[in-house]
């Protein structure tokens, strides 16, 4: 009996330790599978973006295409993503070429149900390619509707030096153009083009796509990344 009492707790502890180790291993595998799934979706979407450019923009004969905003995304969050953006920059073909040509950004606007158990449904994605001029026009229209500043030349010069943050447009650390303070259920709208309306709601840029009737949200972080890419000074 004494021997059994000595052996039994050790056996039970070994079983518990084994169960814990198995659970930890299973959790790590699940995390790894989630990371791998996001990476696979990123590669799949990047390939589709490249195919879109090849099929619809023959003027781009040598270019680099990189995903701008998949970094840090989790698998459970991907279905909530409403726009994926890609950095595109042209270059001159040569040995070890430098990316020093025209910069553009390709948007992939997603509709509900764009991700399922089968992967990405590309029929639920709308593509939109813009350059620095179009982006500046969008930002001027957006800041114009989001603030009391209505002079477009002032808006453009301020945006070239600064960036859009949660509270307005900052140049370095100074808030130059403050945004209106709104409640979460308040929206200010401008009819930007035949394709879209721009919507100001506190903390986000809303883009209403007229064709699909989808309202997609772009966070401030993505706005900053795009702005810095398009207007960064070359070394």
């Amino acid at each position: 009996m004494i021997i059994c009492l000595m052996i039994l707790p050790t056996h039970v502890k070994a079983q518990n330790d084994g169960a814990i180790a198995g659970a930890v291993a299973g959790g790590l595998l699940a995390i790894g599978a989630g990371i791998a799934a996001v990476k696979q979706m990123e590669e799949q979407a990047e390939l589709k973006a490249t195919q879109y450019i090849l099929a619809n923009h023959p003027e781009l004969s040598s270019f680099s295409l990189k995903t701008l905003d998949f970094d840090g995304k989790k698998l459970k969050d991907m279905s909530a993503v409403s726009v994926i953006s890609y950095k595109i920059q042209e270059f001159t073909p040569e040995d070890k070429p430098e990316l020093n040509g025209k910069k553009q950004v390709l948007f992939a606007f997603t509709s509900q149900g764009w991700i399922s158990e089968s992967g990405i449904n590309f029929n639920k994605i709308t593509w939109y390619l813009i350059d620095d001029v179009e982006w500046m026009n969008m930002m001027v229209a957006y800041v114009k509707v989001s603030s009391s500043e209505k002079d477009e030349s002032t808006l453009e010069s301020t945006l070239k030096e600064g960036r859009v943050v949660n509270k307005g447009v900052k140049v370095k650390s100074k808030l130059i153009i403050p945004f209106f303070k709104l409640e979460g259920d308040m929206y200010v709208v401008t009819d930007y083009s035949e394709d879209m309306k721009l919507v100001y709601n506190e903390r986000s840029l809303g883009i209403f796509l007229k064709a699909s009737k989808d309202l997609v949200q772009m966070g401030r972080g993505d706005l900053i990344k795009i702005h810095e890419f398009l207007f960064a000074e070359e070394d």
Side-chain angles (χ1 to χ4, degrees), residues 132-185:
D132 57 340
V133 175
E134 181 71 9
W135 177 254
M136 180 58 73
N137 290 339
M138 289 177 67
M139 289 298 96
V140 166
Y142 176 62
V143 177
K144 188 175 180 180
V145 80
S146 307
S147 70
S148 57
E149 180 59 68
K150 305 303 179 186
D151 186 81
E152 294 187 359
S153 61
T154 299
L155 289 169
E156 184 171 343
S157 61
T158 305
L159 283 164
K160 282 183 177 178
E161 296 179 11
R163 62 183 184 176
V164 175
V165 296
N166 284 338
K167 295 182 179 180
V169 182
K170 273 188 175 182
V171 177
K172 296 182 179 180
S173 59
K174 186 177 181 181
L175 186 65
I176 304 299
I177 302 175
F179 285 164
F180 298 132
K181 294 181 180 180
L182 302 179
E183 298 295 332
D185 56 356

Side-chain angles (χ1 to χ4, degrees), residues 97-111:
E98 293 184 8
L99 294 177
N100 52 14
K102 182 178 179 179
K103 296 178 180 179
Q104 296 184 80
V105 173
L106 176 66
F107 291 125
F109 295 112
T110 66
S111 297

Side-chain angles (χ1 to χ4, degrees), residues 12 15 29 51 61 75 108 110 133-134 140 142 149 153 179 188 202 205 211:
V12 171
Q15 285 185 322
L29 285 173
Q51 291 172 339
S61 58
L75 183 60
T110 66
V133 175
E134 181 71 9
V140 166
Y142 176 62
E149 180 59 68
S153 61
F179 285 164
V188 186
E202 200 164 24
L205 161 63

